[in-house]
Amino acid sequence: MASACYAMTEGLHVMLVDHDEENAAEMVDLLEFYGYKVVSDEYNELLAKKALKEGAYLFVKKPLNEEIVKHLWQFMLTKKIQKNEVRKESKDEYQMNVDDIDKDNIVGDNEKLSGEKNNVSDIEEQSDNIHEAENNIVSNGECKLRRKSRRKNSKETNEGESENTTINKVVRQKNCTKWTADLHAKFMKSLELLGEGRCYPKQIVEVMNVPGLTRMQVASHLQKCRSDNWRSPEERKYNRRPSSNTSLGDSQQKSSFRKFGTMPHFQKNISNQGQRNPELTFPTLHTNSTFVSGESSTQEPLYPPQFHVQPHHLNIGNSFNNSFSSISYNVGGVIQQQRGVSFETLGSQQLQGSIIGSTNYRSDLTLNNGDRHTQNDYNLNLNVPHGTTYPGNIMLSDIDIESNKC
DNA sequence: ACACATATCT
DNA sequence: GAGATATGTG
């Protein structure tokens, strides 16, 4: 290899963006000559800016000369060290590494660079350790370890990044689903359609029919909603949950009601409600004006699907309408709901209109009509006008530029 | 093996 | 705090 620092460059990827195909081809040759993996893309300024925003280390203005290309790795390494130091909060080590890499000295210390490279592939090593552990354990933990391994493999497959295995092992940032108001509304609508006892993440995903949305994401969102007593994100934002509702802490409360695998049945929970341990009685939320329904004990609102977790929300009747109504009337930070309003008559269309009218909904959005969320719904909207001039056309990164970080 | 609920992490 | 990921369970 042409460079003495190949050990450092071989794991690096350079995204080359150049509208001049001839020049791009030359640059690819040059970069590859020095051991960089080149990810060549068509001229795409949006992608370029996005990559920088997402963490690309360098954006070099062309024309590139050989010296720049030859030592791109140093800039990347410096940035990586800095990033690691921020994590470790170890200023001493940081200074040592920076000192070791004399910026005036083009050729770095191969041994130290190799060590740094090992840091880059920490994840690979951890992965190997897992496999080692699996091989060594033959007891009851074997099944669990297998499962762990399977999950791991499955995850890698699902990420759909099989084309570039090197990037796969380094890049772990995932797309971060933004639960926008409309997406959440669609989520809630799905719950309504599924009905009590059928609100499982898998079913919800299917009903929502949002491309790219996974069961895990829905499950996570479901968990969030449940943990906050089925209040919409907007509602949660402006109406804090009373902290003095119970003598038990949240964790204790949750563990007290942990039931795995199956969802509770509506009737069963109603009949059991009066027999619950008084210590486990849940607070009522309607005193916080976030929700209004009949005030009698038999008409306490129910926030499905997890009745056993939120028994204090039980309501015999159209529970979902109540739940949705709560959302409708509390978005935008203003509680508009009035006591005594009957939500039994609120249909989904009313719900939809209410939400759209008070938030930033897209006017063309309709719930559960197969409306596709394009990639832009989940990725950054850079909104960069065509023709914007950028400082250069080569970026060096060790992250997945297609992913959004939380 | 799978999906779930919950805990924990980022 | 939101969302992703890990863990334990049925």
Side-chain angles (χ1 to χ4, degrees), chain A residues 207-220:
Chain A
V207 173
M208 286 182 73
N209 192 28
V210 175
L213 189 64
T214 68
R215 185 184 63 82
M216 290 296 287
Q217 291 169 323
V218 168
S220 178

Side-chain angles (χ1 to χ4, degrees), chain A residues 211-267:
Chain A
L213 189 64
T214 68
R215 185 184 63 82
M216 290 296 287
Q217 291 169 323
V218 168
S220 178
H221 188 63
L222 194 57
Q223 177 186 19
K224 258 329 187 212
C225 292
R226 284 168 174 166
S227 68
D228 210 359
N229 296 299
W230 289 98
R231 288 184 292 166
S232 71
E234 291 297 329
E235 186 182 354
R236 292 196 298 265
K237 186 175 180 180
Y238 295 103
N239 296 282
R240 315 310 303 174
R241 186 180 178 180
S243 59
S244 59
N245 282 329
T246 176
S247 59
L248 292 174
D250 268 0
S251 58
Q252 289 174 289
Q253 200 177 74
K254 286 174 184 172
S255 62
S256 299
F257 286 100
R258 283 182 69 177
K259 289 187 181 0
F260 296 96
T262 60
M263 293 297 293
H265 297 293
F266 184 59
Q267 291 299 331

Side-chain angles (χ1 to χ4, degrees), chain A residues 18-295:
Chain A
D18 198 326
H19 64 289
D20 184 341
E21 293 184 4
E22 192 172 327
N23 185 62
E26 291 178 6
M27 291 307 306
V28 169
D29 289 341
L30 183 59
L31 289 163
E32 287 180 343
F33 182 72
Y34 283 101
Y36 298 101
K37 296 286 191 302
V38 182
V39 181
S40 190
D41 201 314
E42 60 184 22
Y43 185 64
N44 188 333
E45 289 173 344
L46 292 178
L47 195 58
K49 187 173 182 179
K50 180 180 176 179
L52 278 176
K53 196 170 183 176
E54 293 286 331
Y57 287 128
L58 190 59
F59 199 9
V60 183
K61 184 176 182 177
K62 69 176 184 180
L64 293 177
N65 59 42
E66 189 169 341
E67 284 301 301
I68 294 177
V69 173
K70 190 175 178 180
H71 305 297
L72 277 177
W73 63 269
Q74 292 186 31
F75 187 87
M76 184 271 185
L77 176 57
T78 302
K79 297 295 288 186
K80 180 172 285 299
I81 291 172
Q82 290 173 353
K83 204 159 80 174
N84 287 340
E85 288 308 314
V86 169
R87 288 177 187 155
K88 296 174 184 175
E89 296 181 358
S90 173
K91 292 183 179 180
D92 291 340
E93 187 180 347
Y94 165 77
Q95 192 59 48
M96 186 178 68
N97 285 329
V98 171
D99 290 344
D100 287 339
I101 304 170
D102 186 350
K103 292 178 181 176
D104 293 329
N105 182 4
I106 288 177
V107 179
D109 183 330
N110 279 345
E111 190 173 341
K112 286 184 168 54
L113 293 175
S114 297
E116 190 60 33
K117 177 177 174 292
N118 289 339
N119 286 340
V120 174
S121 51
D122 274 349
I123 295 175
E124 295 179 54
E125 293 177 4
Q126 291 169 9
S127 172
D128 291 338
N129 289 339
I130 291 174
H131 291 307
E132 286 180 20
E134 287 189 38
N135 293 333
N136 292 333
I137 297 175
V138 293
S139 60
N140 294 338
E142 189 174 359
C143 179
K144 292 179 180 178
L145 284 170
R146 280 183 188 160
R147 192 185 329 178
K148 188 174 182 179
S149 176
R150 171 170 43 84
R151 283 170 174 164
K152 176 170 162 283
N153 294 333
S154 172
K155 202 167 51 182
E156 287 173 355
T157 301
N158 291 337
E159 283 169 3
E161 298 170 347
S162 57
E163 287 188 6
N164 194 324
T165 55
T166 303
I167 287 181
N168 284 347
K169 290 175 181 177
V170 174
V171 177
R172 285 300 176 211
Q173 292 188 356
K174 303 279 291 184
N175 287 337
C176 192
T177 302
K178 175 64 177 177
W179 282 92
T180 58
D182 56 338
L183 188 59
H184 177 72
K186 201 166 187 174
F187 168 81
M188 296 302 287
K189 180 67 177 178
S190 299
L191 297 185
E192 182 184 31
L193 291 172
L194 285 168
E196 155 57 18
R198 298 177 57 209
C199 297
Y200 299 99
K202 189 176 181 180
Q203 277 70 50
I204 295 170
V205 168
E206 291 172 357
V207 173
M208 286 182 73
N209 192 28
V210 175
L213 189 64
T214 68
R215 185 184 63 82
M216 290 296 287
Q217 291 169 323
V218 168
S220 178
H221 188 63
L222 194 57
Q223 177 186 19
K224 258 329 187 212
C225 292
R226 284 168 174 166
S227 68
D228 210 359
N229 296 299
W230 289 98
R231 288 184 292 166
S232 71
E234 291 297 329
E235 186 182 354
R236 292 196 298 265
K237 186 175 180 180
Y238 295 103
N239 296 282
R240 315 310 303 174
R241 186 180 178 180
S243 59
S244 59
N245 282 329
T246 176
S247 59
L248 292 174
D250 268 0
S251 58
Q252 289 174 289
Q253 200 177 74
K254 286 174 184 172
S255 62
S256 299
F257 286 100
R258 283 182 69 177
K259 289 187 181 0
F260 296 96
T262 60
M263 293 297 293
H265 297 293
F266 184 59
Q267 291 299 331
K268 179 181 177 182
N269 281 279
I270 293 176
S271 60
N272 287 342
Q273 191 176 15
Q275 302 170 4
R276 289 192 178 277
N277 184 335
E279 290 184 3
L280 302 179
T281 300
F282 282 88
T284 56
L285 286 184
H286 51 271
T287 55
N288 196 33
S289 300
T290 58
F291 179 90
V292 175
S293 181
E295 292 295 324

Side-chain angles (χ1 to χ4, degrees), chain A residues 359-378:
Chain A
T359 60
N360 295 326
Y361 274 73
R362 296 206 320 259
S363 58
D364 60 342
L365 176 73
T366 55
L367 297 179
N368 201 36
N369 68 342
D371 179 48
R372 291 288 190 271
H373 289 253
T374 66
Q375 199 63 28
N376 286 338
D377 284 318
Y378 299 96

